[in-house]
Structure formats: C-alpha cells, structure tokens
Amino acid sequence: MVQSALPPYQMLSPNSVVCLMSPTASGKTDLAFELYQTGRFELISVDSALIYQGMDIGTAKPTADELAKFPHHLVDIITPTETYSVANFVADVGRLIDGIHHRGKIPLLVGGTMMYYMALFDGISSVPETDQSVRGKVNQWLVDEGIDALYAYLQTHDPIICQKLKPSDTQRITRALEVLLQTGKPMSHWQNTPKVALSHDPKWHWYGIIVTPDRAWLHERIGRRLDIMWADGFVDEVIALINEYPTLDADMPSMRCVGYRQVLEHLCRIRHECVVNHPTIHQYYQSNFAKLTDEQIIAEISANFPKKSTKTPINLWDLSCQDMKNKALYATRQLAKRQYTWLKQLALMDNPTITNVTIASFDSIEQVQKQFLQSHQL
C-alpha cells in the first residue's frame, strides 16, 4: 500500500475504486453527494446500520428525497430481523464494483463501518456462513443449558479460540460453536486460513481516503446530531419497529446498533407496552427489568447523575429519558473513538507486494474537497 497525495477525481483511471473513510458525523455524506453530482461516481454505502429498512432517524440515514437524488447501493436492503455478514458485504461490493465499472462510472464507497473497510483492504478468513438449522440447534442449547455449558464445550473442542473469548461473550461463543458443529473444524482453524481481500485484485486500483478530524470538533457535531434525532422522533421510531416486527429480538444486530440499544433500555425501564407485550423482546424485559421496582430503577439511574438537592419529585420517565440520551451520546463518542483507532491501523498497513492501493490521509473533509475536487464548479 502506498501513502500518497490524492489525485483530482478527473484524473482517476476507469478501474478506480474510491473509499471515503471517516468517523461518524464528520461530514462525509455531504462530500459524497457533491462527488455524485459530478456524474463520475456511483455511491455504495459502507454502514452496517443503513442496511436496515425502517431504521432511519437513529442511523442518520439520508432522507427519501436525498436517496432519490443521490442513490446509494446497500441501503434498506434487509429488515431489522434479518442478518447481514461481513462476507455478504464483501460479496455484494465485488459484484457492485464490476457493474459500476461496466456502466462507465467509478464506485465511491462511503460510510463509517470500519470492520467492512478492513475486510476490503486486509481481507477476511474463509469462515463459512452458518446453516440456519445449525444456528437453531445452538440457540436451543443456549436456552436449555446456558452460556456456561456452551463455553465449557468450546473449551474442550477449541481451546485456542477460547483464549480470545470472554466466558460471557454469547455472540462469539455461539458463532464458534455453529462453525464447529457445521464444519467439523474449529473456528481457530478457519481464522488461520489465508485472508482474501478485494483490494488485492490487480484489475482494480483502490484509493483509500482517510479523514481524522479534531475530536473536540467531532464530539460537538455528534451532540448536535443526536439532539436532532431526539427532536425528529427517534424514540417513536424504535417503538414503531418493535410493534411492526413480532420476531424482533433484543440480541439481534439491528437492536445492538448505537442509539437503538439505549432507546430499548429506556422503553424497558418505563415499562412501555411495546416491550412488555412483545413476543420476544418481552424475554429481555423480564430478565433485566421486570423484577425491579420503580424506586430501584430510579436509584440505579440517579447514581449516574450529580447529586442535587431538590424537593421536586423524581419522575421515572424524565430521569430515564435523560439517562438514555446521556448513554447514547457516550456510546456514539466511543464508536467514534474506535473508528479513529481503526483508521490509524488502516493508515499504517503496509504490504510492499500490493501496488494497486493508494492511501491518502486528511484532517478534515474540507481538505479532501480542496485536493480531490480542485475547485471544480458543479
């Protein structure tokens, strides 16, 4: 991989693939719109939350009008009850790149899911997709005997992978067991197989644009964007999703998205009917919140707030709502922190045998505009 200046977009070769990579709320979407208007690009979303239909406000998804004007591939492609793996993403991107090049355009990948970008640039191991019947058996095993029994079995049959897992990591433990039962080979075996990356294919030239803006500036933008989300009805959006999908589960990837998890916890704390009466989320509510009294919940939440002397009665809904907003803000900032780490890791990747990847680093979206567009008048 080569660290280099970014050429103006007019100078890109027809076989180029451009990736615009930056933390959440940094302004990359507006730049993607600007580049789309040049007529040279098609947009591919690199966002593991924008794939879900009906999850619009909490994901800061472009509006319906914006998507009509600036179409994105890989947006609204599944429901919140469905799954979409990194391997699915890589396969879809490979197919899309070929199609976009065939139409005489350049793919512009834009989004903040760094795990997807690392799969494109560094590759993924050839771990097979899980058969649904095997997943069902493992899930039933989990219900019947609990995560301790599954972890004990995995320790016997794949001690290497267990060194990387916490005994409470239900998602990764069940995934490792699914692979073991389906293939007869442990997850550690599959993870040691050679990685395959789309960016290693010499028929394409990849340009990775890394933007790492000032963190204080980004934190302020994150706060403002969350304020807009709350005002636009983020809580109502989550309620609507729960009501629409009877099989939605609290442990599904869609409900683990930043912001959505915090809203779900708030709805459980205030005992909203959408969670109390839901066929599957009801189990999450029962396990974590149903046995607590309002007073216990208030005391638990109050521990997160500065002590204030007031005679005003504490309202559970208001207190829980503020706690939800605080936790969503913290979780989003932590997401941005992880994105910074991934971007630095990607910028430092070095493979002298790969000459068809160029990495360019910037401190702001404005710097990218100045160099990549070079005062192009739209």
Side-chain angles (χ1 to χ4, degrees), residues 112-354:
T113 299
M114 301 304 157
M115 179 173 57
Y116 283 176
Y117 283 123
M118 291 300 291
L120 295 174
F121 283 95
D122 191 38
I124 56 175
S125 58
S126 52
V127 180
E129 289 294 303
T130 303
D131 183 273
Q132 290 303 312
S133 63
V134 174
R135 175 163 292 168
K137 292 178 182 178
V138 173
N139 286 339
Q140 189 60 51
W141 186 6
L142 176 64
V143 171
D144 293 340
E145 300 188 33
I147 191 61
D148 290 343
L150 273 64
Y151 185 71
Y153 183 89
L154 195 60
Q155 281 182 309
T156 301
H157 294 83
D158 191 359
I160 296 176
I161 200 66
C162 285
Q163 294 175 6
K164 304 177 182 179
L165 302 177
K166 294 181 180 179
S168 59
D169 195 339
T170 301
Q171 182 181 2
R172 289 182 172 84
I173 291 171
T174 55
R175 173 65 175 140
L177 280 174
E178 290 166 1
V179 171
L180 174 64
L181 296 178
Q182 181 175 322
T183 67
K185 296 180 180 179
M187 176 69 86
S188 55
H189 161 81
W190 293 104
Q191 289 185 345
N192 284 330
T193 58
K195 292 182 178 181
V196 178
L198 288 184
S199 64
H200 298 173
D201 192 326
K203 70 179 179 182
W204 299 321
H205 192 104
W206 290 68
Y207 290 91
I209 304 173
I210 295 178
V211 184
T212 51
D214 176 74
R215 294 201 185 197
W217 174 88
L218 186 67
H219 284 181
E220 182 180 351
R221 284 178 60 91
I222 288 172
R224 290 203 305 267
R225 191 170 76 174
L226 277 170
D227 286 341
I228 293 172
M229 289 179 182
W230 304 125
D232 286 348
F234 185 12
V235 175
D236 290 335
E237 177 178 86
V238 178
I239 293 172
L241 289 171
I242 294 171
N243 289 333
E244 183 176 355
Y245 296 101
T247 60
L248 192 65
D249 189 276
D251 288 327
M252 288 178 173
S254 60
M255 289 296 100
R256 292 199 301 268
C257 288
V258 170
Y260 288 85
R261 172 60 73 187
Q262 288 74 36
V263 174
L264 179 59
E265 290 179 355
H266 163 66
L267 294 172
C268 288
R269 285 196 299 250
I270 65 172
R271 296 172 171 79
H272 195 283
E273 62 180 2
C274 73
V275 296
V276 174
N277 300 323
H278 193 274
T280 51
I281 292 181
H282 175 76
Q283 299 172 9
Y284 173 75
Y285 164 74
Q286 286 286 346
S287 300
N288 297 281
F289 300 94
K291 297 178 183 178
L292 299 175
T293 65
D294 286 2
E295 290 73 18
Q296 288 174 319
I297 294 176
I298 288 173
E300 183 179 299
I301 298 175
S302 297
N304 300 325
F305 290 88
K307 299 295 182 182
K308 292 182 178 180
S309 58
T310 175
K311 296 181 180 180
T312 304
I314 298 177
N315 179 282
L316 174 58
W317 195 98
D318 290 340
L319 189 65
S320 178
C321 186
Q322 186 58 53
D323 188 56
M324 168 191 68
K325 292 178 178 180
N326 291 347
K327 287 181 176 178
L329 177 61
Y330 176 78
T332 308
R333 287 177 173 175
Q334 287 299 107
L335 169 62
K337 182 179 179 180
R338 293 193 298 273
Q339 289 170 326
Y340 275 102
T341 301
W342 282 79
L343 288 169
K344 290 180 180 178
Q345 180 180 346
L346 184 58
L348 293 173
M349 286 175 60
D350 185 27
N351 188 334
T353 66
I354 300 174

Side-chain angles (χ1 to χ4, degrees), residues 34-67:
E34 190 175 4
L35 289 168
Y36 179 85
Q37 287 183 304
T38 67
R40 191 85 198 276
F41 301 91
E42 285 189 32
L43 306 180
I44 300 177
S45 171
V46 186
D47 192 304
S48 60
L50 296 191
I51 60 176
Y52 297 112
Q53 299 161 12
M55 292 175 56
D56 305 329
I57 298 173
T59 62
K61 186 181 296 178
T63 66
D65 288 343
E66 288 172 332
L67 289 173

